[in-house]
Amino acid sequence: WSTATGLILGAGGCQSPLDSDLDDPVLQEIISSAIEYEIRELPADPRRRQTTREPSDVERALADRREELDELGPRFRDPATDDPVTPPLGRDLTGDEQRHVQLNLRDAVRTAVDHNLDVQMARLQPAINEADLVAAEAAFDAVLFGEGDFVRTDQPQPIPIIQGQPIGSDVQAERRYRFETGVRRPLTTGGEIELSTELTRTRNLTGAIDLIPDPAYRSQVGLTVNQPLLRGFGTDVSTASIRLSRNMHRQSIQELRAELLELVSETEEAYWELSVAWRDLVIREWLVEVGKEVRDVLEQRRDFDVREAQHADAVATVEQRKAAVLRARHRVRAASDRLKGLMNDPNLPVGSESVLRPIEKVIESPLTYDVSESIRTAVTARPELQQAILSIDDAAIRQRIADNARLPLLNVRGEVLYFGLDESADRTYRDMASGRYINYLLGLIFEVPIGNRAAEAEYRRARLERSAAVIGYRRAIQQIVQDVKAALRDVVTNYELIGATRSFRVAQAENLRALLVEEETLAALTPEFLNLKFQRQEGLAQARFEEAEALVNYNKAISSLHRAMGTGLERNRINLELVDPDDVVTLDVPTRHGSSR
């Protein structure tokens, strides 16, 4: 089966962190050698091994009666239909008979991936970070600007007098309309370029003064360039926010992948824990039934050879087993609610009183593995390592920014202005096009802090943060290696435990079988004998539970191994697809036909 999980991402979100801006040869050497350092003592050639367990002496000795011994004790599956045995759970919280819903493992994982609330939240983060990335890239978008104003001037002014003759007017009056528009764009070199035009219409209303032309139209076209030459120069600095936002976007993808890996592992673990809880309930119900048989025999012999204390002890034993059934039912319901919480199935919410019934058969076939190959797969697939690489890249970007900030400020400004003046708007622009009136400006701005301590401190901090990121990368590799080795050991150990617990169960079954044979041939069943029967039943029940637990733990260990290797999604055929964040908010997977519900 296949589950296609769409991510809220844009088309650029699938780039590998390994393709980032790590161009420092020293960092590249550290990254490439860190993995080899951890696995340097492992053989370079593939050495595939298989989990093994040899039949015990008990199994070999009882091989002839194995089928009979396997039939003793509780049955977990109906031999006629191969369906799991489902003992009654009593009444639910509403007072109705407890209902149950059958569920296989694939449907549980699929539903959890589709609807789990934590994953739904994690799926939104890539879209949020993509919006931040677009905003960072938009910093280099061109800006169209414009402004206009009207000025009415009507104010008194002093009049110069030359040889007793006043010159001009004692009132300045005019009407001026001004409009300016242009395009401004930041440059990836750290500077800015601006192209603008301005048109001003002025009407003179001052008495005793005439102007030519009147009204006057004055036009202006200017080109201005501001460019830093030292501090703030270059694409490394100007595009740093874009690269940091892109890395944050990639980080969110890896965080989502980690969240999904954890969810798949938790769902499988919860599924198997629910399975073993049901098996424990079957065992407890069986103990009650066989305990009642012994109690009833003692009840019938109370007037013959059974003392009151012996009968009371049998009654207490049965009642204790009934209490164990109630506790087992509680564990089933609690494990079911935990699995429902992880799945968040809209058709089966946590508030529903229906109890999930796992129907998946446990896997007990051997697992083939190679330690070196498993570790190399993990360091390639684990999202934590990709996140560590991105952290190194972020630190390297910030170090380059801090290094550039230590330089003095030296900015150059260049400006060219063309002017025109005439009595109409079109004629003033034609006058400007003649190129008769041109202004040029070229300037430098210089600044340097005395001592430059703040910039130097920031640079030292950035270098230390990069070193910390490299150490974090090496620690991530070390943790991954530990996780894989621990998971492999769990797989090997739990596979061996299946054999050990099975031998224990076979031995306990033989123990009870021998007692049952003796019961058929013994003329007088003493209370001591029947008490021994109680003990043998408890022994077989405990052995059954330990075997079931070992089988479940082996399946959980396989799931944990794929989590440690970072291949849990591929194992469950969960495909991550890039989708348009404007089109998808929640992610749906087509319902698979043939569901066991």
Side-chain angles (χ1 to χ4, degrees):
W1 65 286
S2 176
T3 297
T5 302
L7 304 184
I8 311 296
L9 306 174
C14 58
Q15 183 177 0
S16 169
L18 296 173
D19 300 329
S20 54
D21 302 315
L22 294 173
D23 54 2
D24 190 332
V26 177
L27 289 178
Q28 291 180 348
E29 176 63 23
I30 291 174
I31 290 174
S32 60
S33 63
I35 300 174
E36 299 301 326
Y37 175 81
E38 294 295 339
I39 62 175
R40 64 189 184 279
E41 295 185 4
L42 293 174
D45 56 311
R47 296 189 179 181
R48 304 187 69 80
R49 296 192 58 192
Q50 191 177 68
T51 52
T52 57
R53 62 171 185 264
E54 296 294 331
S56 65
D57 295 338
V58 172
E59 290 181 287
R60 282 192 288 265
L62 300 175
D64 294 340
R65 290 197 293 272
R66 181 61 182 275
E67 185 174 349
E68 178 186 359
L69 296 176
D70 288 343
E71 294 296 323
L72 282 178
R75 294 176 180 269
F76 299 130
R77 287 188 174 270
D78 189 328
T81 62
D82 200 34
D83 291 332
V85 174
T86 305
L89 291 173
R91 296 191 177 275
D92 60 22
L93 293 177
T94 65
D96 297 330
E97 285 296 326
Q98 185 75 68
R99 295 174 291 112
H100 67 272
V101 178
Q102 291 188 345
L103 180 71
N104 62 43
L105 180 59
R106 290 178 176 179
D107 285 343
V109 172
R110 181 206 64 194
T111 305
V113 169
D114 292 347
H115 302 292
N116 180 267
L117 293 177
D118 291 335
V119 170
Q120 288 187 33
M121 292 176 59
R123 286 171 180 164
L124 296 177
Q125 194 58 46
I128 296 172
N129 293 132
E130 186 183 17
D132 293 338
L133 174 59
V134 173
E137 292 173 341
F140 293 97
D141 291 350
V143 176
L144 175 66
F145 65 91
E147 62 178 84
D149 54 63
F150 165 72
V151 179
R152 179 188 180 202
T153 303
D154 194 358
Q155 62 185 18
Q157 63 181 357
I159 303 175
I161 299 177
I162 300 177
Q163 296 179 352
Q165 185 69 32
I167 306 298
S169 173
D170 60 350
V171 176
Q172 179 188 0
E174 68 175 13
R175 303 293 183 267
R176 184 172 71 247
Y177 301 86
R178 187 185 69 87
F179 176 73
E180 181 183 7
T181 186
V183 177
R184 184 187 306 116
R185 185 179 187 276
L187 303 174
T188 57
T189 57
E192 183 181 76
I193 185 170
E194 179 181 307
L195 177 64
S196 64
T197 182
E198 180 179 323
L199 178 64
T200 304
R201 180 187 185 276
T202 305
R203 175 66 173 170
N204 176 46
L205 299 176
T206 303
I209 295 177
D210 294 327
L211 299 178
I212 300 177
D214 188 18
Y217 287 85
R218 179 177 174 270
S219 61
Q220 172 186 317
V221 172
L223 177 65
T224 304
V225 177
N226 293 295
Q227 176 61 51
L229 301 180
L230 294 176
R231 189 194 307 169
F233 173 78
T235 57
D236 281 352
V237 177
S238 63
T239 63
S241 61
I242 296 177
R243 285 177 289 149
L244 289 172
S245 296
R246 184 179 297 118
N247 282 353
M248 188 176 296
H249 185 223
R250 296 169 181 171
Q251 283 273 14
S252 63
I253 298 174
Q254 297 303 322
E255 288 172 4
L256 175 56
R257 180 176 174 83
E259 187 80 30
L260 286 170
L261 281 169
E262 187 65 28
L263 173 65
V264 169
S265 181
E266 284 187 15
T267 303
E268 292 188 2
E269 179 179 338
Y271 184 91
W272 292 121
E273 286 179 353
L274 178 58
S275 176
V276 78
W278 272 103
R279 292 193 175 205
D280 181 47
L281 178 58
V282 171
I283 292 170
R284 300 300 171 185
E285 291 278 6
W286 175 80
L287 278 175
V288 170
E289 293 302 320
V290 295
K292 288 179 179 179
E293 295 175 2
V294 177
R295 182 202 61 187
D296 292 344
V297 171
L298 290 173
E299 174 74 22
Q300 295 171 5
R301 300 171 64 96
R302 288 179 65 181
D303 297 332
F304 178 57
D305 58 355
V306 173
R307 297 191 302 273
E308 191 65 29
Q310 293 171 328
H311 175 260
D313 183 64
V315 172
T317 299
V318 172
E319 295 304 314
Q320 181 187 35
R321 291 180 178 183
K322 289 181 179 179
V325 168
L326 295 177
R327 285 190 287 268
R329 289 175 178 176
H330 177 74
R331 285 192 293 271
V332 167
R333 291 188 175 100
S336 175
D337 283 345
R338 176 172 181 256
L339 180 56
K340 285 194 290 185
L342 290 171
M343 292 168 53
N344 191 37
D345 190 339
N347 298 319
L348 196 65
V350 177
S352 168
E353 274 299 283
S354 296
V355 175
L356 300 177
R357 180 62 172 107
I359 62 173
E360 196 82 18
K361 290 184 177 180
V362 290
I363 301 172
E364 55 178 303
S365 55
L367 179 72
T368 302
Y369 66 93
D370 176 78
V371 179
S372 179
E373 180 183 341
S374 298
I375 293 176
R376 292 181 184 277
T377 299
V379 297
T380 301
R382 281 282 289 269
E384 292 89 340
L385 198 60
Q386 312 302 313
Q387 290 175 295
I389 292 176
L390 289 171
S391 296
I392 295 177
D393 194 25
D394 286 347
I397 293 171
R398 293 189 177 97
Q399 180 180 340
R400 285 194 290 270
I401 296 173
D403 188 25
N404 179 269
R406 298 188 299 164
L407 298 174
L409 178 68
L410 180 61
N411 293 356
V412 61
R413 174 183 173 87
E415 187 175 43
V416 179
L417 296 175
Y418 286 78
F419 296 95
L421 181 66
D422 214 309
E423 60 187 9
S424 66
D426 57 336
R427 292 174 66 178
T428 187
Y429 273 102
R430 285 198 298 268
D431 184 43
M432 180 190 62
S434 66
R436 289 184 299 168
Y437 310 106
I438 306 175
N439 286 4
Y440 298 96
L441 181 148
L442 183 63
L444 289 175
I445 300 175
F446 178 79
E447 178 185 298
V448 58
I450 298 176
N452 208 23
R453 293 193 303 164
E456 292 292 342
E458 287 296 326
Y459 179 65
R460 286 195 300 273
R461 173 178 177 156
R463 290 187 61 188
L464 292 173
E465 288 178 346
R466 190 190 74 165
S467 298
V470 173
I471 295 173
Y473 174 81
R474 295 180 60 184
R475 183 176 60 184
I477 291 179
Q478 189 178 77
Q479 185 61 52
I480 288 172
V481 173
Q482 290 178 353
D483 291 346
V484 172
K485 291 179 66 178
L488 281 171
R489 289 194 180 103
D490 286 345
V491 169
V492 172
T493 300
N494 283 293
Y495 189 74
E496 293 173 348
L497 280 172
I498 293 175
T501 55
R502 183 161 293 163
S503 296
F504 176 50
R505 190 260 302 167
V506 170
Q508 289 285 22
E510 172 62 16
N511 208 2
L512 179 60
R513 188 202 67 82
L515 190 68
L516 294 177
V517 171
E518 186 177 348
E519 181 181 20
E520 293 177 358
T521 59
L522 192 63
L525 297 178
T526 65
E528 290 74 14
F529 181 88
L530 295 177
N531 184 59
L532 181 61
K533 190 175 180 180
F534 269 138
Q535 296 176 12
R536 299 284 173 86
Q537 292 170 355
E538 292 281 357
L540 178 56
Q542 181 63 28
R544 276 283 192 179
F545 177 78
E546 291 185 10
E547 181 185 14
E549 191 174 44
L551 285 166
V552 165
N553 287 340
Y554 177 63
N555 284 260
K556 289 164 59 176
I558 293 176
S559 176
S560 297
L561 175 61
H562 284 281
R563 167 66 182 93
M565 292 171 57
T567 57
L569 302 184
E570 291 78 6
R571 174 181 178 239
N572 287 279
R573 299 180 185 177
I574 299 172
N575 303 317
L576 304 182
E577 295 180 352
L578 301 179
V579 296
D580 189 342
D582 295 330
D583 296 338
V584 177
V585 176
T586 58
L587 308 176
D588 295 321
V589 175
T591 303
R592 193 169 66 91
H593 295 293
S595 172
S596 61
R597 296 185 183 182

